[in-house]
């Protein structure tokens, strides 16, 4: 029989006022391969250190509340290399195995109490909800999480991660991501609802190991930025990843973003059976040449032009995206078309879009259609930074072996831009759909072609 320890037996009050950190830690430290049980109550706490073989079981009326006093959060543990102002967190584990959080209760960070900027107008120090570093066999099952001061759940170099039946709502502060997976492997996310201000599922790569063997299925996701993003950090890369049978809605800054800008490889990606409603651009694929090393903690520069790395950029190849229905409703023209682009001399390769049906809002002018798009190789990878694109549906540049099968674009209003513009594209095939095929034989290197 598994050992069950009640946190109230260790002095926790669960009244939402008394700081219960010490009682919770005492229960965890006394538990060996057992369950730490939270009965109904509101447990105010600072940083909780998790350990191997321990399950936190939150009953349905139990809430772990993050303290609103930053002094209650520990700081002497592995932080966040991309955002050191987010180092502190509510739940933390490093080098542990066999951790589970379940029971139907809630973990809520009270992150609205932490200012976005300090007195010097620098990014304010704001705790995450939870961080796992170099851990394995992690289970998050049937719980509610959110209300973080910054990112919600950050995992670094973790493996055998199972996230199922989680309801994540993170809308109380800026940088309110959902799940941030940095160089993680063997991850399964299913039957989960994510509603976040910032990226909902964000795959990152700041170490020498890529994110790999990841599956996401049967999820409903909403984000004021992107539903799924790979690669705002992309040192090693991303491989062998599948996303299927999901609904993405109200994604205001684009929906799926596949980015490689720091020298790694993004390959073997399969995305299928996705319904998108009230979104910005359905797809943004970007090979860049920023070349960050992530050798020391530093705040991310979102607005600067960056410094182009002299080394060759990474690679993007072998991507299959199929069975997509999208209703693009955003009025800002720079945020609505799909953009797939490599760099001069470095193509994105083997990209297949199959069975797409996308409705766009329209509104483009003849002046928009004539616009030339900067390469901007070293800048932070965000589509709208490129400005209004010369196509209303798909802008394709520096690419080879691209297949469009049964791709249909529709307009809610008039648009004077063509459906598709291709620049420096080698071997493009269009089969079915309503995009004109006359351009195919004219696709020559360094020549723009429209459809």
């Amino acid at each position: 029989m598994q050992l069950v320890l009640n946190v109230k037996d260790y002095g926790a009050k669960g009244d939402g006022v008394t700081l219960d950190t010490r009682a919770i830690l005492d229960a965890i430290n006394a538990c060996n391969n057992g369950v730490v049980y939270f009965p109904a109550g509101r447990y105010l706490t600072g940083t909780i250190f998790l350990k191997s073989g321990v399950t936190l079981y939150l009953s349905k009326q139990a809430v772990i509340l993050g303290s609103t006093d930053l002094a209650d959060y520990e700081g002497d543990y592995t932080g966040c290399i991309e955002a050191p102002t987010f180092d502190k967190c509510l739940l933390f584990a490093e080098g542990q195995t066999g951790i589970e959080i379940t029971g139907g209760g809630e973990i809520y960070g009270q992150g609205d109490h932490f200012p976005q900027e300090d007195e010097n107008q620098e990014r304010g120090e704001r705790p995450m909800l939870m961080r796992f570093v170099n851990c394995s066999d992690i289970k998050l099952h049937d719980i509610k999480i959110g209300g973080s001061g910054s990112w919600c759940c950050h995992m670094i170099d973790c493996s055998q991660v199972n996230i199922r039946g989680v309801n994540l709502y993170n809308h109380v502060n800026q940088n309110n991501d959902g799940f941030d997976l940095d160089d993680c492997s063997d991850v399964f996310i299913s039957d989960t609802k994510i509603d976040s201000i910032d990226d909902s599922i964000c795959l990152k790569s700041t170490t020498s190991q890529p994110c790999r063997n990841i599956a996401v299925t049967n999820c409903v996701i909403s984000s004021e930025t992107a539903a799924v993003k790979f690669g705002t950090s992309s040192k090693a890369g991303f491989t062998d990843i599948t996303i299927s049978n999901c609904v993405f809605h109200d994604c205001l800054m684009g929906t799926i973003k596949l980015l490689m800008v720091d020298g790694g490889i993004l390959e073997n990606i399969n995305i299928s059976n996705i319904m998108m409603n009230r979104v910005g651009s359905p797809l943004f694929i970007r090979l860049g040449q920023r070349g960050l090393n992530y050798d020391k903690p530093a705040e991310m520069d979102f607005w600067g032009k960056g410094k182009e790395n002299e080394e060759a950029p990474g690679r993007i190849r072998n991507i299959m995206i199929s069975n997509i229905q999208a209703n693009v409703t955003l009025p800002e023209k720079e945020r609505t078309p799909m953009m797939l682009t490599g760099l001069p001399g470095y193509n994105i390769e083997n990209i297949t879009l199959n069975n797409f049906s996308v409705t766009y809002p329209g509104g483009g002018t003849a002046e928009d259609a004539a616009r030339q798009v900067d390469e901007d190789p070293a800048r932070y990878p965000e589509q709208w930074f490129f400005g209004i694109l010369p196509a209303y549906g798909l802008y394709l540049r520096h690419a080879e072996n691209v297949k469009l099968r049964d791709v249909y674009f529709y307009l809610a209003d008039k648009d004077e831009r063509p459906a598709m513009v291709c620049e420096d594209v080698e071997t493009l095939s269009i089969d079915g759909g309503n995009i004109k095929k006359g351009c195919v034989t004219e696709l020559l290197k360094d020549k723009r072609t429209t459809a």
Side-chain angles (χ1 to χ4, degrees):
M1 178 177 288
Q2 200 172 32
L3 178 68
V4 178
L5 302 180
N6 189 322
V7 293
K8 287 197 171 182
D9 292 338
Y10 287 81
K13 300 300 182 183
D15 58 12
V17 178
T18 306
L19 194 66
D20 286 328
T21 311
R22 186 68 265 161
I24 295 170
L25 290 174
D26 285 346
I28 291 172
N29 291 331
C31 185
N32 293 308
N33 296 315
V35 175
V36 172
Y37 175 68
F38 291 76
R42 296 170 66 84
Y43 299 88
L44 185 69
T45 179
T47 302
I48 299 170
F49 291 92
L50 306 175
K51 73 172 190 176
S52 295
V54 172
T55 294
L56 297 190
Y57 190 98
L58 282 67
S59 67
K60 290 185 178 180
Q61 293 78 35
V63 182
I64 292 178
L65 283 176
S67 170
T68 59
D69 186 348
L70 199 60
D72 292 329
Y73 294 84
E74 300 290 336
D76 189 17
Y77 45 77
T78 300
C80 178
I81 197 165
E82 289 181 276
T85 46
F86 301 163
D87 280 353
K88 294 184 176 181
C89 60
L90 184 59
L91 274 66
F92 180 84
E94 182 166 9
Q96 306 299 306
T97 187
I99 294 172
E100 182 173 1
I101 305 174
T102 188
E106 182 176 1
I107 303 172
Y108 186 77
Q110 300 198 100
D112 53 327
H113 289 266
F114 301 96
Q116 299 167 22
E117 295 181 344
D118 62 19
E119 62 275 9
N120 298 314
Q121 280 68 57
E122 300 291 338
R123 178 183 278 182
E125 190 173 11
R126 292 175 273 141
M128 293 184 187
L129 198 74
M130 56 181 72
R131 184 185 303 117
F132 299 86
V133 181
N134 190 27
C135 294
S136 64
D137 188 16
I138 303 167
K139 296 182 178 69
L140 304 179
H141 289 170
D142 304 316
I143 58 168
K144 298 176 182 179
I145 58 177
S148 178
S150 55
W151 300 351
C152 190
C153 181
H154 186 203
M155 297 187 180
I156 308 167
D157 193 24
C158 292
S159 63
Q160 301 174 51
V161 177
N162 190 295
I163 298 168
R164 186 190 69 232
V166 173
N167 188 333
L168 187 157
Y169 187 83
N170 209 23
H171 274 268
V172 300
N173 214 318
Q174 294 298 307
N175 312 105
N176 269 183
D177 288 21
F179 293 103
D180 291 274
L181 308 176
D182 188 344
D183 301 318
C184 293
S185 63
D186 301 316
V187 178
F188 185 59
I189 302 175
S190 71
D191 306 291
T192 285
K193 182 179 180 181
I194 306 171
D195 192 337
S196 60
I197 287 180
D198 218 321
D199 303 314
S200 291
I201 295 178
C202 190
L203 272 56
K204 299 172 174 291
S205 179
T206 64
T207 76
S208 59
Q209 297 297 320
C211 276
R212 62 195 183 279
N213 304 338
I214 296 175
V216 178
T217 191
N218 297 345
C219 294
V220 177
I221 297 176
S222 175
S223 170
E224 293 184 23
T225 52
V228 173
K229 181 192 283 187
F230 299 7
T232 47
S233 56
S234 47
K235 182 177 180 178
F238 315 91
T239 185
D240 302 331
I241 297 167
T242 181
I243 300 169
S244 64
N245 304 329
C246 292
V247 175
F248 299 156
H249 66 93
D250 298 288
C251 300
L252 304 184
M253 287 177 58
T255 315
I256 298 172
K257 301 179 182 181
L258 308 178
L259 318 170
M260 180 52 57
V261 295
D262 296 317
I265 297 176
L266 191 158
E267 63 180 356
N268 304 340
I269 311 299
N270 191 307
I271 301 173
S272 63
N273 301 335
I274 308 295
M275 180 70 71
M276 305 180 186
N277 194 23
R278 300 183 304 275
V279 298
S281 170
L283 179 64
F284 176 38
I285 299 178
R286 163 66 164 165
L287 177 64
Q289 199 171 13
R290 183 181 59 181
L292 296 181
N293 294 318
Y294 303 99
D295 53 350
K296 60 183 179 181
E299 299 295 333
M300 189 68 75
D301 182 4
F302 297 100
W303 307 109
K305 287 285 188 177
K307 183 177 181 181
E308 186 174 348
N309 192 337
E310 295 181 357
E311 297 181 1
R315 299 185 70 179
I316 294 179
R317 61 191 180 190
N318 304 338
I319 296 173
M320 166 73 80
I321 304 179
S322 59
N323 301 333
I324 305 296
Q325 293 187 50
N327 181 25
V328 179
T329 58
L330 218 62
E332 293 90 348
K333 290 180 289 185
E334 66 272 21
R335 298 174 185 258
T336 56
M338 293 189 287
M339 181 177 188
L340 284 60
T341 181
L343 290 168
Y346 301 98
N347 292 338
I348 57 175
E349 310 166 67
N350 306 333
I351 313 294
T352 298
L353 307 185
N354 178 49
N355 193 20
F356 267 58
S357 178
V358 185
T359 299
Y360 290 100
T365 66
E367 182 181 3
D368 296 333
R371 188 173 179 273
Q372 300 295 315
V373 182
D374 290 341
E375 297 289 349
D376 221 356
R379 191 168 187 169
Y380 182 87
E382 189 61 71
Q383 177 174 320
W384 64 272
F385 288 166
F386 289 92
I388 296 172
L389 299 177
Y392 76 77
L394 173 61
Y395 178 66
L396 180 64
R397 180 171 68 176
H398 309 312
E400 62 182 277
N401 193 22
V402 177
K403 299 176 182 178
L404 307 180
R405 298 172 177 165
D406 294 321
V407 174
Y408 291 84
F409 293 157
Y410 305 99
L411 282 169
D413 200 356
K414 181 180 179 181
D415 201 303
E416 297 188 35
R417 295 171 294 177
M420 180 171 68
V421 169
C422 302
E423 297 183 21
D424 184 19
V425 177
E426 301 178 14
T427 316
L428 168 66
S429 66
I430 303 176
D431 184 14
N434 65 352
I435 300 175
K436 295 178 182 178
K437 298 181 181 180
C439 69
V440 175
T441 57
E442 302 173 9
L443 283 174
L444 304 176
K445 193 173 178 65
D446 299 322
K447 179 178 180 181
R448 170 181 287 191
T449 306
T450 65

